[in-house]
């Protein structure tokens, strides 16, 4: 998917919501556990209920891998279901991968080739250029590089400053612009980072940012938009737990749809500033 | 496995070799492609041939994930085969994972619970404490944290210096000692880093280091030992391609065994300095 197509979808749907498919067998409604593939059954119902209100889905690989073969099967079925039924949805494989060049190339094959292609994969920058660039060789695919994450541990290293006052996350933003551009790279910036979005936008004025951390992690959508929005929106804001686990009864999908709609309506308000 | 047990194995085998199981269908001998599970067939033969000469195996997850379900099945069979037949081998899931706390906890379950338990998992430190600590809650299991990697991209961020001259990899070494200790943490330091091992040992005098990069990547075993060895060895040196792809004929396993034995003999020489 191109940046222009993504922006068109955002305008059409009046939403820049990404629904995080962090599907945990311990948290899904009990009646689904009788299904042959409870993870996929849950995902399918959530997708069908939330698709009108979002532009992206983001399965986090940890939640699939931890169930071994069954988990991978559910992941592949989920991606295939999205590609077959909702081709306008931007699919993010939230994998936070990164390894030496020939190994990152294998990860890129994993997520960008074959029957179960995502549009984007999240990548950790610690190992530098050759760990990221193999993902950038795929036309129409995206790398979403960790910059300033939503968690407490983001303060451990990402804010480290060099002698000139440049912080690690800024160095990541700057350096990685030599590897890709605003048409094939995005960055992860946590919604919990508040006014730091101002600093981020000084370095990457046009790139899309993937913003986790509203909902369960406590970030504010208004603040993110105030400091992070560009004239092409430039934001994909993720919510996982607050939407997909909003209800644990047989109505779970309907309630997830309502929650997604609520967020979409808040986003439509924010998009007025843009149009 | 405890640190003491690992050291005993090293002394017994006169080896601190780890064989990297980076099994690529494009590189394994052609006759194996007729097997039902070529990846596992290759791994089993390599393991049986090299086990006398090494103390650890390190499957890199990228090489399994890129084949989807089949790849995961081969990974699980490989881990089970090692646990069932070679319980004294230290198994490293080279996954370079790391995510927010509740997600890292899922990755930890993936690698440290159930039928296919590894002894250690490699973790990327970019996201800080809560991305690493969930892996440290498992008794007898190890986190191997990226510090100074073997690839060219290691220079992009890992050498960044703060105003006091402390580099990012040093900050990772120091800070992470608040999360774990020499009995449950190791660090990845590339063999290509040469004398940098001296600087590493100033910060972590006793921790085991996992050292990739001899063989295909060009690092020197002698140099690594000269600057990195401790009185408990403190090194697990990995070789992947130079051993497992040394031969592509039906003799591949035998040749891999010979190559592993050659490295083991060089290691025995180095261990003389220690004993």
């Amino acid at each position: 998917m191109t940046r222009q197509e993504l922006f068109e979808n955002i305008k059409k749907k009046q939403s820049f919501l990404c629904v995080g498919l962090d599907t945990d067998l311990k948290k899904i409604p009990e009646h689904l556990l009788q299904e042959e593939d409870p993870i996929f059954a849950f995902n399918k119902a959530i997708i069908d209920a939330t698709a009108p209100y979002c532009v992206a889905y983001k399965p986090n690989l940890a939640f699939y891998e931890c169930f071994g073969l069954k988990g991978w099967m559910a992941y592949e079925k989920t991606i295939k279901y999205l590609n077959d039924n909702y081709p306008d949805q931007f699919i993010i494989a939230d994998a936070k991968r990164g390894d030496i060049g020939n190994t990152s190339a294998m990860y890129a094959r994993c997520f960008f080739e074959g029957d179960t292609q995502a549009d984007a994969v999240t990548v950790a920058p610690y190992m530098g250029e050759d760990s990221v660039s193999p993902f950038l060789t795929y036309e129409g695919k995206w790398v979403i590089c960790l910059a300033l994450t939503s968690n407490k541990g983001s303060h451990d290293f990402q804010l480290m400053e060099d002698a000139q006052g440049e912080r690690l996350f800024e160095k990541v933003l700057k350096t990685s612009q030599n590897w890709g551009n605003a048409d094939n790279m995005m960055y992860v910036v946590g919604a919990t980072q508040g006014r730091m979005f101002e600093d981020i936008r000084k370095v990457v004025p046009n790139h899309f940012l993937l913003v986790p951390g509203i909902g369960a992690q406590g970030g504010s959508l208004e603040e993110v938009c105030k400091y992070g929005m560009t004239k092409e929106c430039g934001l994909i804001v993720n919510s996982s737990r607050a939407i997909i686990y909003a209800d644990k009864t047989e109505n779970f999908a309907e309630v997830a749809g309502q929650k997604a709609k609520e967020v979409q309506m808040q986003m439509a308000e924010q998009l007025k500033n843009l149009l």
Side-chain angles (χ1 to χ4, degrees), chain A:
Chain A
M1 188 180 297
T2 67
R3 187 165 142 206
Q4 193 55 36
E5 286 166 340
L6 177 60
F7 184 42
E8 292 301 326
N9 287 341
I10 288 171
K11 283 192 288 188
K12 192 174 67 188
K13 290 199 163 163
Q14 287 291 294
S15 171
F16 43 98
L17 173 63
C18 174
V19 173
L21 298 170
D22 297 356
T23 306
D24 185 344
L25 279 184
K26 291 182 179 163
K27 289 186 184 162
I28 68 177
E30 262 190 57
H31 71 279
L32 288 179
L33 300 178
Q34 295 146 18
E35 299 274 338
E36 199 193 318
D37 185 341
I39 298 174
F40 177 67
F42 178 81
N43 286 353
K44 183 176 175 301
I46 292 284
I47 291 166
D48 290 339
T50 56
Y53 312 114
C54 68
V55 295
Y57 286 96
K58 181 176 78 59
N60 186 308
L61 271 290
F63 290 80
Y64 300 85
E65 285 188 16
C66 80
F67 295 106
L69 285 182
K70 281 185 190 169
W72 264 94
M73 219 176 305
Y75 171 77
E76 293 192 350
K77 278 158 77 177
T78 301
I79 302 296
K80 196 170 178 325
Y81 185 74
L82 281 167
N83 278 322
D84 288 350
N85 297 282
Y86 300 98
D88 61 338
Q89 292 285 350
F90 189 74
I91 306 173
I92 302 166
D94 193 3
K96 300 187 177 73
R97 299 298 196 259
D99 208 310
I100 63 172
N102 82 315
T103 305
S104 269
M106 297 301 266
Y107 278 127
R109 276 169 63 183
C110 171
F111 295 111
F112 289 159
E113 293 186 17
D115 288 344
T116 54
Q117 295 184 18
D119 295 290
V121 62
T122 57
V123 172
Y126 191 78
M127 293 180 69
E129 177 169 10
D130 56 303
S131 70
V132 176
S133 54
F135 294 96
L136 290 166
T137 61
Y138 290 79
E139 179 100 22
K141 303 292 186 189
W142 294 76
V143 160
I144 307 181
C145 183
L146 300 182
L148 189 57
T149 56
S150 59
N151 62 325
K152 192 162 161 266
S154 65
H155 295 254
D156 287 325
F157 307 119
Q158 296 166 23
L159 300 180
M160 173 184 174
E161 270 181 40
D162 70 12
Q164 287 74 46
E166 184 170 80
R167 289 164 290 188
L168 174 58
F169 75 89
E170 289 164 323
K171 200 173 284 285
V172 167
L173 293 171
K174 273 190 196 165
T175 306
S176 61
Q177 288 184 64
N178 299 320
W179 313 338
N181 55 54
D183 290 316
N184 63 6
M185 285 195 88
M186 303 185 184
Y187 296 97
V188 174
V189 181
T192 50
Q193 301 292 353
R195 289 194 70 152
M196 297 286 266
F197 277 84
E198 285 186 312
D199 297 340
I200 303 267
R201 281 300 178 206
K202 284 177 196 152
V203 194
V204 285
N206 298 314
H207 285 69
F208 263 88
L209 306 178
L210 172 63
V211 184
I214 66 158
Q217 292 182 66
S220 148
L221 178 66
E222 265 189 23
E223 210 174 36
V224 168
C225 292
K226 184 170 173 189
Y227 300 116
M229 199 174 248
T230 69
K231 61 183 192 302
E232 284 178 327
C233 182
L235 298 170
I236 297 177
V237 172
N238 183 76
S239 180
S240 301
R241 289 170 270 178
I243 289 177
I244 70 174
Y245 300 130
D247 183 275
K248 290 198 164 194
T249 70
E250 302 212 344
N251 292 327
F252 73 98
E254 199 187 324
V255 177
Q258 285 161 8
K259 289 284 168 194
K261 190 177 178 182
E262 283 169 24
V263 181
Q264 179 269 318
M265 286 166 69
Q266 293 165 25
M267 289 178 166
E269 277 304 306
Q270 297 294 333
L271 285 168
K272 282 184 189 161
N273 302 327
L274 167 90
L275 301 173

